[in-house]
Amino acid sequence: MIVGLYEFGQAIKTGKKAAKRSHYSTRHTQSVYNQASGTTSTYKPGPLPVLECVLLRKRGRQLQVFSTDLEAWAWGACPTSGEDCAICVRADVLAKWIDSLAPSASWKDKREVNLTITPRTCKLLASIKDGGVSIRATFLGIDPDEFPSVDAAIESGKIQTVGNSQTVH
């Protein structure tokens, strides 16, 4: 599927607001310290790593981006085409990649990102052409069935979808 870079960035920014913050930097720092000092790690991962992710869900003509902490929900959307599909990807990693492509507010250009989801291996392949350079990234994902049910949240009124706007309870 192809999405506009600016619109995709806005959908991620809005859609990741309820995602749990990642403990990667803490884990990484602890790991480096442990290797240097010869101690063992005291890091214990959270019970649901999928809550650090956003659910990218292609439905109809929209790519929807959802996040939740099981109490609050956030979502964003951008127009796209292609077949319906879904994957969960770490919110912070995806947002940093997009920001690295367009770090300033003046990036509302017409560049497009080509996204390919491979359900068998749970990977999101993203590529963008910038002039004569092709930039590619592979994001390891989580099966979308691991993400809390968006449809149940919509039915219960926790998420109200109206076009590209969001209402979160």
Side-chain angles (χ1 to χ4, degrees):
M1 79 188 94
I2 296 176
V3 296
L5 176 61
Y6 176 75
E7 292 84 5
F8 186 49
Q10 292 302 306
I12 295 295
K13 184 183 288 187
T14 304
K16 75 177 185 129
K17 288 182 179 178
K20 295 265 188 195
R21 294 199 53 128
S22 171
H23 300 289
Y24 174 76
S25 60
T26 305
R27 234 183 305 161
H28 179 71
T29 303
Q30 182 72 44
S31 174
V32 170
Y33 173 78
N34 290 343
Q35 288 175 0
S37 65
T39 61
T40 59
S41 176
T42 58
Y43 172 77
K44 294 184 180 174
L48 296 171
V50 75
L51 297 181
E52 294 179 0
C53 295
V54 289
L55 171 66
L56 300 178
R57 181 173 89 162
K58 165 66 177 72
R59 293 285 189 269
R61 293 186 196 171
Q62 282 189 333
L63 176 62
Q64 301 168 332
V65 182
F66 293 95
S67 67
T68 184
D69 64 1
L70 297 179
E71 292 180 17
W73 287 79
W75 78 279
C78 63
T80 188
S81 60
E83 295 182 26
D84 288 356
C85 53
I87 191 168
C88 293
V89 180
R90 290 260 314 265
D92 57 342
V93 174
L94 190 56
K96 285 178 185 175
W97 183 74
I98 292 171
D99 287 345
S100 73
L101 296 174
S104 69
S106 63
W107 57 288
K108 295 182 181 181
D109 56 26
K110 298 296 178 190
R111 290 188 289 174
E112 294 180 331
V113 180
N114 186 3
L115 301 173
T116 305
I117 296 172
T118 56
R120 187 179 60 79
T121 58
C122 278
K123 289 183 181 177
L124 171 67
L125 310 172
S127 64
I128 184 169
K129 292 195 177 189
D130 193 8
V133 177
S134 181
I135 303 167
R136 298 178 188 180
T138 301
F139 300 93
L140 298 178
I142 297 175
D143 188 322
D145 293 335
E146 298 291 324
F147 197 81
S149 175
V150 170
D151 295 327
I154 292 170
E155 288 175 17
S156 70
K158 290 183 179 178
I159 303 173
Q160 295 177 3
T161 57
V162 181
N164 287 344
S165 64
Q166 66 172 357
T167 303
V168 182
H169 298 280

